[in-house]
């Protein structure tokens, strides 16, 4: 089954404790991206990647890191989480540019992160 | 800059119609619509390209007015399964090669029996 898999689904951690949220897709998609979703603010892009070893900042990259060593994986790293990073996070992938006619975004099921 | 969606929330009865609007202060090349059911991931509905194209998806259709820099999503004869949050994602500019979409804050649609 074609899908984007995120882990974990739920994560509670403390301020400053490094964490990684994994994301993997099995559709051979070129483009991968991370979003955070907060009430009233919708989906905001954190980072995206056009291909292996190519990553770029989105609209809210501060406090996050990503890497794209393999085409299928795009982990999100919080080196020193803070309470304002408490949010619902989505990983997404698309065949090519998400703006393309035949390249819609496929989202994972989300990771709800709480930083105390 | 995020597109502005209106209304923020709407409640209607099964069988009623609804319109959700998405507008931008910038020239748009394309508008994308996604629906997110409660507790689930957003799912792609449709894309509209520059040119005023109107598209349909069962009883859900949309239009794109590039001059007004806005798109509208039409839900006719709503079903319970239409409940969820609808997001528009926009691509600014003129090339159709944007590397990212900018999403609105969403419209929460609730369909009651």
């Amino acid at each position: 089954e074609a899908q984007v898999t995120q882990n974990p689904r739920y994560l509670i951690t403390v301020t400053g404790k490094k964490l990684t949220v994994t994301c993997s897709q099995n559709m051979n998609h070129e483009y991968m991206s991370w979003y955070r979703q907060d009430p009233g603010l919708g989906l905001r892009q954190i980072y995206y990647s056009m291909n292996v070893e190519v990553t770029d900042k989105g609209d809210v990259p501060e406090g996050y890191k990503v890497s794209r060593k393999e085409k299928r994986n795009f982990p999100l790293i919080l080196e020193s989480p803070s309470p304002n990073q408490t949010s619902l996070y989505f990983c997404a992938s698309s065949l090519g540019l998400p703006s393309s006619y035949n390249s819609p975004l496929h989202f994972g099921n989300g990771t709800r992160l709480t930083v105390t | 800059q995020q597109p502005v969606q209106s209304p923020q929330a709407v409640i209607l009865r099964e069988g009623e119609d609804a319109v959700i609007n998405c507008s931008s202060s910038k020239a748009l090349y394309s508008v994308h619509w996604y629906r997110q059911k409660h507790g689930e991931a957003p799912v792609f509905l449709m894309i509209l390209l520059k040119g005023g194209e109107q598209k349909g998806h069962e009883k859900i259709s949309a239009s794109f007015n590039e001059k007004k820099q806005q798109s509208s999503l039409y839900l006719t004869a709503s079903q319970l399964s239409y409940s969820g949050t609808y997001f528009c994602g926009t691509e600014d500019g003129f090339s159709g090669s944007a590397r990212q979409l900018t999403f609105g804050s969403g419209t929460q649609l609730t369909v009651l029996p």
Side-chain angles (χ1 to χ4, degrees):
Chain A
E1 181 189 353
Q3 59 186 359
V4 178
T5 304
Q6 286 179 238
N7 281 298
R9 289 294 306 274
Y10 301 92
L11 181 57
I12 301 174
T13 190
V14 295
T15 299
K17 187 176 181 182
K18 181 180 178 180
L19 66 91
T20 300
V21 183
T22 63
C23 174
S24 180
Q25 50 92 5
N26 62 359
M27 296 169 279
N28 202 35
H29 283 173
E30 300 283 340
Y31 185 97
M32 296 187 75
S33 180
W34 277 101
Y35 296 87
R36 61 177 288 174
Q37 184 176 23
D38 302 289
L41 297 177
L43 293 161
R44 293 181 294 166
Q45 191 176 45
I46 302 170
Y47 269 95
Y48 65 94
S49 169
M50 298 287 293
N51 210 327
V52 176
E53 302 294 359
V54 180
T55 63
D56 265 307
K57 295 178 181 179
D59 297 317
V60 289
E62 293 78 20
Y64 305 94
K65 284 177 61 176
V66 292
S67 68
R68 188 97 181 268
K69 293 183 170 52
E70 304 167 283
K71 195 172 186 179
R72 63 184 292 127
N73 295 324
F74 191 46
L76 179 70
I77 303 158
L78 284 73
E79 295 270 0
S80 183
S82 62
N84 64 12
Q85 292 178 299
T86 292
S87 186
L88 178 59
Y89 291 86
F90 285 101
C91 178
S93 71
S94 59
L95 185 63
L97 293 171
S99 53
S100 298
Y101 188 86
N102 63 346
S103 185
L105 287 165
H106 296 257
F107 286 84
N109 284 328
T111 296
R112 186 166 292 281
L113 171 67
T114 302
V115 183
T116 62
Chain B
Q1 188 173 2
Q2 278 188 301
V4 177
Q5 286 187 236
S6 63
Q8 290 187 342
V10 59
I11 300 174
L12 57 158
R13 297 278 181 190
E14 238 182 325
E16 294 181 339
D17 301 339
V19 181
I20 299 171
N21 299 304
C22 173
S23 63
S24 174
S25 58
K26 297 184 177 182
L28 299 177
Y29 185 84
S30 65
V31 180
H32 307 236
W33 286 97
Y34 286 77
R35 176 172 66 198
Q36 182 182 27
K37 297 195 175 184
H38 184 69
E40 299 182 8
V43 174
F44 174 75
L45 289 177
M46 65 186 78
I47 175 177
L48 299 103
L49 300 178
K50 186 176 172 180
E53 183 179 357
Q54 182 154 354
K55 295 199 70 176
H57 182 269
E58 296 180 345
K59 293 182 181 176
I60 301 175
S61 62
S63 63
F64 177 24
N65 187 323
E66 63 193 89
K67 288 184 179 178
K68 292 185 178 180
Q69 296 161 192
Q70 70 181 33
S71 175
S72 295
L73 186 71
Y74 306 96
L75 299 98
T76 57
S78 297
Q79 304 169 13
L80 294 175
S81 61
Y82 287 2
S83 291
T85 301
Y86 290 78
F87 292 99
C88 67
T90 57
E91 177 197 4
D92 301 336
F94 305 92
S95 65
S97 60
R99 296 184 173 193
Q100 57 187 130
L101 297 177
T102 304
F103 286 95
S105 58
T107 295
Q108 189 170 343
L109 179 80
T110 303
V111 181
L112 301 175

